[in-house]
Amino acid sequence: MSDLIRTGAADLARALAAGEVSSVEVTRVHLDRIAAVDGDIHAFLHVSDRALDVAADIDARRAAGEALGPLAGVPLAIKDVLVTTDMPSTSGSRILEGYMSPYDATVVARARAAGLVPLGKTNMDEFAMGSSTEHSAYGPTRNPWDLDRIPGGSGGGSAAAVAAFEAPLALGSDTGGSIRQPAHVTGTVGIKPTYGGVSRYGAIALASSLDQVGPVARTVLDAGLLHDVIGGHDPHDSTSLTGAWPSFADAAREGARGDVLKGLRIGVITELPDSGFQPGVAASFHEALAAMQAQGAEVVEISAPHFEYGVAAYYLILPAEASSNLAKFDSVRFGMRVTPHAQATVEEVMAATRDAGFGDEVKRRIILGTYALSAGYYDAYYGSAQKVRTLIQRDFDLAFGQVDVIATPSAPTTAFRLGERVDDPLQMYLNDVTTIPANLAGVPGISVPSGLAAEDGLPVGIQFLAPVREDARLYRVGAALEALLHESWGGSLLDRAPQLAQGGVA
Ligand code: GLN
């Protein structure tokens, strides 16, 4: 095959199964690509030294005639929020520097069992708090489209690795948009599954009622193939949904045939007017809708009056849960320990460790969370936020009585410049306005590239949301739109990135 790094997971899988290429070859070209470009991109915090051995093992098993899963031999990048036995897991934090987990996250275990080849661990905002990857304790990741710009966050490393052809697939986690917003700003595809659809066991918790693990890829089909591997019930996760799921890869294949758009009712939220979005983002959104309407889809205006309170509610619920989840980093059980002086008490060691080990954004959210949960304020803050959460869930219920999917731009702007918002938390938080409602309601969401913004030439994504458990619908609709757009562009959005087309990154 001519250009293995640009080949998507589905095509790699086919070539591997047909014996046209070996997993060792595929893995080696990706490791070479990482070596060549990751100094600039910094998508990876750790590159596996076992990847070639794992690949050789898959090749040997294939040669011996063993029945392997559809993605066997395909490389995979893993967000550092997911614990792994053979690579450190830091969640982007100094407090977990070098931490080795005694077990694999369920999604990692399933990926290994399916024969995927872990390439390494990807960079992220510390404990998944952020929208730019600038809050990583290990330095930011850069957007392959423009190295002066953010790759999104918190999963900027996974999205950048996939966009820069360092990995064909990656795992991410999405608590308020950390899979979908990085996909939006890097021209990739990201899915936040239905809450409980993918195991959270071994995903270092940020906010347990919001967190969800999901796939990052260059096409909807590739994402579906990975979702099929990682999804489904896990007895280790008490919030994991039981019951069977359809094949998401099959849903994507069905969607690519196009007829799903005929009669599809797409809801557009009146309370999210164009004025809230960068002009090129709004324009790309409307072009995508028009392309779908031309195929018989119907655009229906719906009201979701409580969406606009989603950010406010989220930034009370998330810190509250995070402050509790992060209490375990106490210098005793995990990671770093700082002893300020020889006679230090346990409390002094704990305080010194948390002071040195956590970054500013993490401290900010711990303070917000403990305040929101404190006696006397609990009802006013946390209690009110939970009520808003219920109202947002009701908005979704009512909307899905009228439409099949809801569409929004995936984020208000294209990739902003590194440094532009890092000292302005409120601006950073407002970036999550369209992604957060899905986490509050537990519904699935997908971001699919919709085009380039005219004013800056940077990628834009369109988000589709579906009712709980209807993830397959997102794969059908996403693949249908993707097929239309790829046809009109004569390729994918990433094929239109001049800096990427030349094989370089800048
Ligand atoms: N940007 C959001 C936040 O900072 C989303 C994070 C996430 O999804 N992990 O909380």
Side-chain angles (χ1 to χ4, degrees):
M1 295 180 80
S2 54
D3 199 350
L4 284 177
I5 59 162
R6 299 183 74 93
T7 307
D11 292 329
L12 285 175
R14 195 176 309 131
L16 284 159
E20 292 163 23
V21 69
S22 71
S23 178
V24 165
E25 283 172 80
V26 172
T27 302
R28 185 173 289 129
V29 294
H30 285 96
L31 291 171
D32 289 349
R33 175 71 175 169
I34 293 169
V37 303
D38 210 54
D40 287 332
I41 306 264
H42 194 224
F44 285 88
L45 291 177
H46 181 91
V47 178
S48 173
D49 52 17
R50 294 188 50 226
L52 287 171
D53 292 341
V54 173
D57 178 55
I58 297 292
D59 287 339
R61 285 162 56 192
R62 197 187 303 277
E66 197 178 313
L68 299 169
L71 286 177
V74 175
L76 173 73
I78 300 171
K79 187 178 181 183
D80 208 30
V81 74
L82 298 164
V83 298
T84 45
T85 49
D86 58 345
M87 296 181 274
S89 306
T90 70
S91 209
S93 182
R94 209 44 90 185
I95 211 161
L96 280 176
E97 190 163 10
Y99 172 70
M100 293 300 291
S101 167
Y103 70 100
D104 277 326
T106 294
V107 291
V108 172
R110 288 185 180 176
R112 289 194 209 278
L116 282 126
V117 180
L119 285 175
K121 305 294 290 286
T122 58
N123 198 14
M124 55 183 284
D125 287 296
E126 185 174 4
F127 289 111
M129 298 178 186
S131 303
S132 69
T133 319
E134 292 168 289
H135 295 311
S136 168
Y138 304 99
T141 297
R142 291 167 183 275
N143 191 320
W145 288 74
D146 178 345
L147 295 179
D148 292 330
R149 294 187 187 256
I150 59 105
S154 65
S158 282
V162 168
F165 305 104
E166 297 173 85
L169 290 173
L171 289 171
S173 69
D174 190 312
T175 305
S178 287
I179 291 176
R180 290 163 288 158
Q181 181 261 7
H184 162 88
V185 296
T186 58
T188 55
V189 174
I191 286 99
K192 181 203 93 72
T194 293
Y195 183 76
V198 175
S199 171
R200 292 184 296 111
Y201 183 67
I204 297 170
L206 169 53
S208 309
S209 76
L210 304 162
D211 295 344
Q212 196 50 203
V213 177
V216 178
R218 291 194 290 268
T219 67
V220 176
L221 172 59
D222 287 359
L225 285 162
L226 183 55
H227 196 161
D228 285 342
V229 168
I230 60 173
H233 181 65
D234 176 15
H236 290 307
D237 174 356
S238 63
T239 59
S240 171
L241 295 172
T242 53
W245 293 83
S247 162
F248 302 114
D250 285 350
R253 288 189 190 100
E254 190 190 324
R257 290 196 287 271
D259 13 311
V260 300
L261 295 177
K262 198 159 291 152
L264 182 80
R265 291 167 304 164
I266 305 173
V268 174
I269 301 171
T270 47
E271 289 85 0
L272 286 178
D274 283 357
S275 56
F277 298 91
Q278 184 182 318
V281 170
S284 176
F285 176 62
H286 291 296
E287 280 164 29
L289 290 179
M292 296 172 87
Q293 280 174 301
Q295 301 299 314
E298 192 188 333
V299 172
V300 181
E301 288 213 346
I302 53 159
S303 175
H306 303 98
F307 269 39
E308 60 176 305
Y309 306 110
V311 171
Y314 171 92
Y315 279 100
L316 286 167
I317 294 168
L318 177 137
E321 293 188 21
S323 67
S324 155
N325 276 328
L326 296 182
K328 64 179 165 283
F329 300 104
D330 58 4
S331 78
V332 178
R333 284 173 282 196
F334 300 96
M336 173 192 265
R337 175 178 303 169
V338 176
T339 309
H341 55 86
Q343 276 79 43
T345 63
V346 172
E347 284 80 7
E348 284 168 339
V349 172
M350 216 179 276
T353 301
R354 288 168 69 87
D355 184 31
F358 289 144
D360 289 348
E361 183 60 24
V362 174
K363 288 175 185 160
R364 182 179 296 125
R365 295 198 193 192
I366 289 173
I367 292 168
L368 274 171
T370 39
Y371 183 79
L373 290 176
S374 54
Y377 293 111
Y378 184 94
D379 284 337
Y381 294 112
Y382 188 72
S384 304
Q386 289 292 18
K387 287 180 190 156
V388 172
R389 184 174 194 172
T390 303
L391 292 172
I392 289 174
Q393 285 162 350
R394 277 192 208 150
D395 280 359
F396 272 114
D397 288 345
L398 285 175
F400 287 130
Q402 297 167 259
V403 296
D404 302 308
V405 292
I406 295 172
T408 74
S410 301
T413 69
T414 55
F416 45 91
R417 287 184 196 286
L418 287 159
E420 202 175 288
R421 298 192 196 170
V422 69
D423 297 321
D424 188 347
L426 203 55
Q427 278 309 310
M428 197 73 97
Y429 299 169
L430 289 172
N431 190 67
D432 304 330
V433 60
T434 56
T435 46
I436 276 175
N439 301 80
L440 290 173
V443 305
I446 187 171
S447 179
V448 181
S450 62
L452 301 176
E455 58 272 25
D456 54 23
L458 291 167
V460 177
I462 182 170
Q463 171 181 240
F464 297 104
L465 305 169
V468 159
R469 273 200 176 270
E470 291 296 330
D471 306 45
R473 190 180 301 173
L474 297 180
Y475 283 95
R476 280 194 289 273
V477 172
L481 174 64
E482 179 184 72
L484 279 181
L485 294 177
H486 284 194
E487 198 185 313
S488 75
W489 298 335
S492 79
L493 201 64
L494 286 165
D495 295 331
R496 296 167 70 194
Q499 52 285 60
L500 293 168
Q502 284 148 21
V505 291

